[in-house]
Structures are given as C-alpha cells and as structure tokens.
C-alpha cells in the first residue's frame, strides 16, 4: 500500500477491531510436538492382521445330493464304454449283394435276405445274424457264427451256404467243416466239404451230398432241394415270385430245382 492508502485504511472503523484481533492471535501458543517420541510409539505398536471371515455356503441336503448326482453322471458319460449301432446289409426282391466283413471274410446275399453284426466288436466276437439266404467265405481265426431263427452254424475257416426259412435251416459245406446247432444251442451235426444238411423244427430232416463247387446254387440262378418238405419248397417259390400259398400243402419229401427266372418251370419241377 502507498502511504496515502495506508493512512486512509487506518481511519476506517474496522481498523481498531482488526488490531485487537491481531494482538489476541499473537498471544496464542500451539502444543509442543516431540517427533522422537512419536516415532518410538509407532514402532512399538504391534501389527494386527485383518480378520478373515469365512462365509458358509449353507447348501441344503437336496442341493448336495443334486451336485453329487450331476458329478456321477458326468463321470459315467466320460468313462462309459462307447457303443455303436449294428452294421446291417440287406437285399430286396430280385437283388443280390456281395461284400466284405471286418476281418476280410466275404459274404454274398440272395434276394430278400439280410445280415447284421457288431463291427466294433468283430475281432472278439465274429458273429452275425442271417435272415434269408447267404454264402460265406471265412478267414481262419476265432470261431465264426451265423445265427438264424432256426439254428446256428459255427466254423473256424471255411466256405459254406446257409438258407433260413422260418423254422427250417439248410446248410451246405463247400470247404472245411462246419458245426450246426438248433435254436436252443444244442449241437445237431458237423458237416465236411461236399455235404449238406436240412434242419426243420430243431431236428435233422435230411443229410445229403453236394458237388464240391465254389459257387452256391442261387448264384447259378436256381435253388436246389434234396428231399425237402414240400411246404418248404412251395414257400421258396412264393418268396421268389412274390406269391401267396393258399390252402394246405401236403407234408411230403421231394427233390426239386427251382429256377429263379421262370415261374412255370418252377411249378413244373415240383
């Protein structure tokens, strides 16, 4: 401030009050502060760990049971043995089919026939189910089984033909030997190359010899019956030509060759 301004300020009414306030403030004293004492107090104070609180989940018994069940289900899904759908081959009327099995064995299916097997487990269980008529050339190894509603055939390594018609089973052995069982698994007979067997109603109806040919009859265009029941022969004709047998067929044994391409000749041969 200039001298003139300072002089005017001293003449103001509040100047005296300000002077008194300044005098009172000059008389005030702050508390004493000992820095060394404060440091010693801080170092001497023990450190306290923060309190950790554990909050219980509070799950009910039902919740625990659900959790355990879910864990077991997950483990079963991960470690449960994988399964696969069975492999199936089939033919319709007028069709035939040839193919390979997982071990290199081969099969041939006549018309309106099928086979079904577990390919994933084939090495441990060479077994298949046949409906209709099929021929098989089997690689040597573990037992090879063909199952039908009328019985089963078991081999180790051979060539053979199987025809299943309801309760009748016809087996032709073209190489090696085969064992034949009825539907209950009871052994019926063992065939060697060049022999055939007809089973009806779980009993041996006829045994006969056949030419040692590597080709089944149906591949040559006909079905051969050696002393077979007439109802069985008529059923073959009905299946082959999509017919229905009416009336009662007499029970008699006949030998007949049924061609696959001529219905008149088939009926004449009966």
């Amino acid at each position: 401030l200039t001298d003139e301004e300072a002089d005017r300020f001293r003449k103001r009414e509040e100047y005296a009050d300000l002077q008194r306030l300044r005098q009172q403030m000059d008389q005030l004293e702050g508390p004493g502060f000992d820095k060394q004492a404060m440091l010693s107090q801080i170092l001497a104070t023990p450190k306290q760990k923060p309190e950790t609180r554990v909050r219980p989940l509070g799950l009910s018994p039902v919740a625990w049971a659900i959790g355990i069940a879910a864990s077991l289900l997950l483990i079963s899904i991960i470690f449960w043995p994988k399964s696969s759908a069975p492999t199936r081959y089939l033919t319709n009327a007028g069709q035939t089919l040839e193919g390979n099995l997982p071990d290199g064995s081969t099969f041939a299916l006549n018309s309106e026939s099928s086979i079904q097997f577990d390919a994933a487990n084939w090495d441990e269980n060479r077994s298949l189910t046949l409906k209709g008529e099929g021929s098989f050339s089997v690689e040597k190894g573990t037992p090879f089984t063909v199952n039908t509603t009328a019985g089963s055939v078991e081999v180790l390594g051979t060539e053979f033909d199987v025809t299943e018609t309801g309760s009748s089973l016809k087996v032709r052995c073209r190489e090696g030997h085969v064992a034949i069982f009825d539907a209950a698994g009871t052994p019926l007979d063992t065939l060697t190359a060049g022999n055939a067997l007809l089973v009806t109603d779980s009993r041996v109806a006829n045994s006969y010899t056949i030419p040692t040919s590597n080709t089944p009859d149906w591949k040559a265009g006909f079905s051969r019956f050696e002393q077979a029941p007439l109802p069985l022969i008529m059923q073959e004709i009905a299946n082959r030509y999509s017919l229905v047998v009416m009336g009662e067929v007499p029970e008699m044994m006949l030998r007949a060759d049924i061609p696959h391409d001529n219905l008149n000749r088939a009926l004449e041969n009966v």
Side-chain angles (χ1 to χ4, degrees):
L1 298 174
T2 63
D3 293 339
E4 184 179 354
E5 290 173 342
D7 185 56
R8 286 199 303 268
F9 179 68
R10 293 187 189 97
K11 293 179 180 180
R12 294 176 65 89
E13 295 180 0
E14 60 268 20
Y15 178 74
D17 295 332
L18 291 173
Q19 283 293 94
R20 287 192 298 272
L21 180 61
R22 178 180 178 184
Q23 291 173 1
Q24 292 175 0
M25 292 181 64
D26 290 341
Q27 295 175 1
L28 294 175
E29 294 184 1
F33 179 72
D34 189 342
K35 293 189 290 185
Q36 187 64 36
M38 179 61 72
L39 178 62
S40 299
Q41 182 181 359
I42 293 174
L43 295 176
T45 302
K47 296 182 179 180
Q48 295 182 353
K49 294 183 178 180
E51 182 180 357
T52 302
R53 295 184 178 181
V54 179
R55 184 178 180 181
L57 294 177
L59 294 177
S60 66
V62 175
W64 278 109
I66 293 175
I68 294 173
S71 300
L72 293 176
L73 177 61
L74 179 60
I75 293 173
S76 66
I77 292 174
I78 295 174
F79 295 100
W80 193 263
K82 303 296 187 295
S83 60
S84 61
T87 301
R88 188 171 185 234
Y89 295 97
L90 59 86
T91 57
N92 296 320
Q95 295 179 330
T96 61
L97 177 66
E98 297 184 10
N100 296 321
L101 296 170
D103 64 337
S105 300
T106 61
F107 69 88
L109 292 180
N110 199 356
S111 66
E112 296 187 297
S113 302
S114 68
I115 58 171
Q116 181 174 298
F117 57 91
D118 183 359
N121 195 40
W122 184 259
D123 290 341
E124 290 75 27
N125 182 23
R126 298 200 302 172
S127 175
L128 60 83
T129 299
L130 168 71
K131 291 185 178 181
E133 187 170 14
S135 299
F136 303 91
S137 179
V138 180
E139 294 291 325
K140 292 183 178 179
T142 57
F144 181 103
T145 305
V146 176
N147 299 296
T148 74
T149 56
S152 61
V153 182
E154 182 177 302
V155 302
L156 294 178
T158 184
E159 294 183 5
F160 63 102
D161 311 322
V162 180
T163 304
E164 173 267 342
T165 308
S167 61
S168 297
L169 178 68
K170 181 173 67 176
V171 182
R172 302 168 71 254
C173 181
R174 294 184 280 112
E175 180 181 295
H177 64 275
V178 300
I180 303 171
F181 304 82
D182 65 13
T186 304
L188 293 178
D189 203 346
T190 299
L191 297 180
T192 56
N195 290 279
L197 187 70
L198 175 65
V199 177
T200 58
D201 298 323
S202 296
R203 64 180 181 82
V204 178
N206 190 24
S207 298
Y208 53 95
T209 60
I210 58 173
T212 55
S213 169
N214 289 328
T215 302
D217 295 338
W218 61 265
K219 280 191 172 185
F222 66 94
S223 297
R224 171 164 291 170
F225 294 89
E226 296 284 349
Q227 295 301 309
L230 180 57
L232 179 62
I233 299 174
M234 295 303 298
Q235 188 61 51
E236 168 66 15
I237 295 175
N239 293 341
R240 179 65 53 183
Y241 294 98
S242 300
L243 303 175
V244 177
V245 178
M246 304 294 291
E248 185 175 343
V249 180
E251 290 286 343
M252 53 188 303
M253 306 296 285
L254 295 177
R255 181 193 182 282
D257 289 341
I258 305 301
H260 297 169
D261 57 357
N262 192 315
L263 176 58
N264 291 332
R265 277 186 52 203
L267 295 175
E268 289 172 359
N269 289 349
V270 175

